[in-house]
Amino acid sequence: MYDESNGLNYTLHGDYYLPDLVVNEEKLIYGKYGMLRKRFLKKHRPARYQYLLMTGELTAHLNQVAQEAREQVETMMKQMAEKQGVTEMLKMQDQMKWVGLMNNIKACAEEIALKEIIYL
């Protein structure tokens, strides 16, 4: 049975007509940032999450958000390291200081990306 109002096909199962839904199997590549976005959508934006899930756009959305977050973190890390004078020369001279500074830079860049991209 086809319903023109919503464009879905239905199949009779027992006494009920159930919609014939097909899940869009897109490649899962989203990683850490995609999982954080998915958890945020489920908890704080359930209607948006359900819409993306039902339309088969959830995986594409998570992949896109994850890619944007990764790119922003990488760009900001390069800019922050340059601004703070964290260079390869420092790495050769004092490796522990370089590691500490890079860890701080990465944490700051990730925090900004989470607020600007993931938790919107």
Side-chain angles (χ1 to χ4, degrees):
M1 182 171 114
Y2 180 75
D3 185 1
E4 292 180 15
S5 65
N6 61 17
L8 292 177
N9 288 316
Y10 291 85
T11 304
L12 182 63
H13 293 276
D15 295 335
Y16 301 100
Y17 282 100
L18 299 176
D20 296 333
L21 301 176
V22 178
V23 177
N24 184 3
E25 294 293 330
E26 190 168 325
K27 193 172 184 182
L28 301 174
I29 57 171
Y30 48 80
K32 171 186 172 181
Y33 299 116
M35 287 187 277
L36 289 170
R37 176 67 174 174
K38 184 177 181 181
R39 186 180 315 145
F40 172 77
L41 288 173
K42 272 184 169 179
K43 186 172 182 179
H44 299 285
R45 305 283 191 276
R48 174 102 170 113
Y49 175 78
Q50 288 296 323
Y51 173 78
L52 290 170
L53 184 64
M54 296 301 286
T55 59
E57 298 173 7
L58 180 63
T59 303
H61 173 76
L62 296 176
N63 288 337
Q64 179 185 0
V65 166
Q67 181 181 359
E68 288 175 15
R70 279 191 308 269
E71 289 172 359
Q72 182 173 354
V73 167
E74 288 174 14
T75 302
M76 288 175 33
M77 282 182 65
K78 288 177 187 173
Q79 292 172 351
M80 290 175 168
E82 186 178 304
K83 214 172 204 183
Q84 294 180 21
V86 181
T87 62
E88 289 297 316
M89 183 63 86
L90 177 64
K91 184 178 180 181
M92 289 173 26
Q93 292 172 348
D94 190 355
Q95 191 172 14
M96 291 305 291
K97 182 177 180 179
W98 181 87
V99 168
L101 290 171
M102 288 305 291
N103 284 342
N104 286 337
I105 288 169
K106 184 175 183 180
C108 290
E110 282 188 337
E111 188 67 29
I112 292 168
L114 290 175
K115 287 184 179 180
E116 291 181 355
I117 297 174
I118 306 298
Y119 300 137
L120 279 182

